Amino acid sequence: MHTQRMAVSVSVLALLTLAACGTEPGSGSGGDGGDGSDTVQSDVPVTGVAWSVDSMTVGGKTTEAPEGSRLEFDPKGRAKAGFGCNQIGADARVEGDRITFAKPVSTQVACDEKSEKFEKAALAAMDGELTAKLSGEKLTLTTGGGDTFALSEEKPAALAGTRWAVTTLLSGETATSVPADLPKERVPHLTFGEDGTVHGNSGCNSFHGKAEVKGSTITFGPPAGTRKMCPEVEMATERAVLAALDGPATYTIKGSTLTVTSKDGKGVGATATPATATATPETTEGTPPTEGTQTTEGTQEHG
């Protein structure tokens, strides 16, 4: 069950690499084309912008998009999308006001009925040529048959003070979704403080540590935290998260998506979630959380 949910096809991995095109934190606005040979020219500046998908109209019927639905085009002719469940990738050629998609590929995570229905319709629309029309911060994509996507430019979330839910684990060119069936309290997440700290949960244990931000680099200090044992799928997730939060790492924010990548290619992709009035997890100064110490599922900690 766990391995099936984490499985991602090779073609998807190639398309869904989450390393951002630039190193400047925040969201670029539009694309000016430039003179680079592999930079897409477009009369409608859709590249380099995080687009929030608002709704889709099929056969005259408009359906609101699932929460968190997004679509993004990079300047090298690739698109990535998510409609509340799976990660989707496709080659996407932008010429003038036309966007031509190659057949999209997707991860295979089980979805709720609403998301699955919307995703199926969106995938069908993303297989061919669409016309783009930009009006201020609103973008409309229209299929040859007259169906439309309504999108809005997504403003970049603030790094500090935002609760970032980790959704993707990165290792070089490989991107793997965080298991969908982790217990709610163990879904990995990060919150950065204005005082150069970070705290959260790495998949099993809570942790806190130093996180000094300079430009597009975050330098993580050794974390301290609880030292509980959890099932292997949760421990594997924790090891991957902690590997990304080790020493200096680059970060980018596009809309509500944060990508953190360490020098050795380990990284995480995370999504901004509504702030909650929760206190910083209680931890004690000591060694990083590991699976080497057996404890109960309670709040026991080790220094």
Side-chain angles (χ1 to χ4, degrees), residues 246-265:
D246 183 15
T250 59
Y251 84 97
T252 58
I253 298 174
K254 289 189 176 182
S256 60
T257 299
L258 167 70
T259 303
V260 178
T261 310
S262 65
K263 286 186 176 180
D264 63 0

Side-chain angles (χ1 to χ4, degrees), residues 110-281:
C111 311
D112 62 83
E113 185 177 354
K114 177 183 176 181
S115 296
E116 185 175 357
K117 186 175 181 180
F118 191 95
E119 185 178 272
K120 185 177 180 180
L123 283 170
M126 287 175 61
D127 188 7
E129 185 179 87
L130 285 78
T131 302
K133 182 179 180 180
L134 188 65
S135 177
E137 297 178 350
K138 300 289 186 179
L139 174 67
T140 302
L141 301 179
T142 305
T143 69
D147 298 332
T148 60
F149 286 101
L151 307 97
S152 302
E153 183 175 349
E154 195 174 345
K155 297 302 182 183
L159 176 67
T162 300
R163 186 181 188 276
W164 297 100
V166 178
T167 58
T168 309
L169 306 174
L170 309 175
S171 181
E173 296 297 311
T174 301
T176 305
S177 297
V178 168
D181 52 358
L182 288 180
K184 184 178 180 180
E185 69 276 10
R186 291 180 188 152
V187 174
H189 59 87
L190 316 168
T191 300
F192 295 89
E194 296 283 0
D195 58 351
T197 61
V198 62
H199 70 266
N201 188 289
S202 49
C204 174
N205 289 279
S206 60
F207 73 93
H208 71 272
K210 296 291 186 182
E212 297 182 1
V213 180
K214 288 186 178 180
S216 59
T217 299
I218 304 174
T219 301
F220 294 95
T226 58
R227 295 171 61 87
K228 295 181 292 189
M229 284 290 291
C230 298
E232 176 54 27
V233 66
E234 296 164 30
M235 298 307 298
T237 299
E238 178 165 281
R239 288 192 292 270
V241 170
L242 292 178
L245 311 182
D246 183 15
T250 59
Y251 84 97
T252 58
I253 298 174
K254 289 189 176 182
S256 60
T257 299
L258 167 70
T259 303
V260 178
T261 310
S262 65
K263 286 186 176 180
D264 63 0
K266 303 294 184 183
V268 295
T271 301
T273 58
T276 56
T278 55
T280 302

Side-chain angles (χ1 to χ4, degrees), residues 15 21 38-40 47 72-80 90-94 100-102:
L15 291 168
C21 299
D38 50 354
T39 298
V40 176
T47 60
E72 186 177 333
F73 304 93
D74 74 21
K76 295 186 177 182
R78 292 182 295 274
K80 59 184 179 183
D91 289 330
R93 182 68 184 173
V94 183
T100 304
F101 289 95

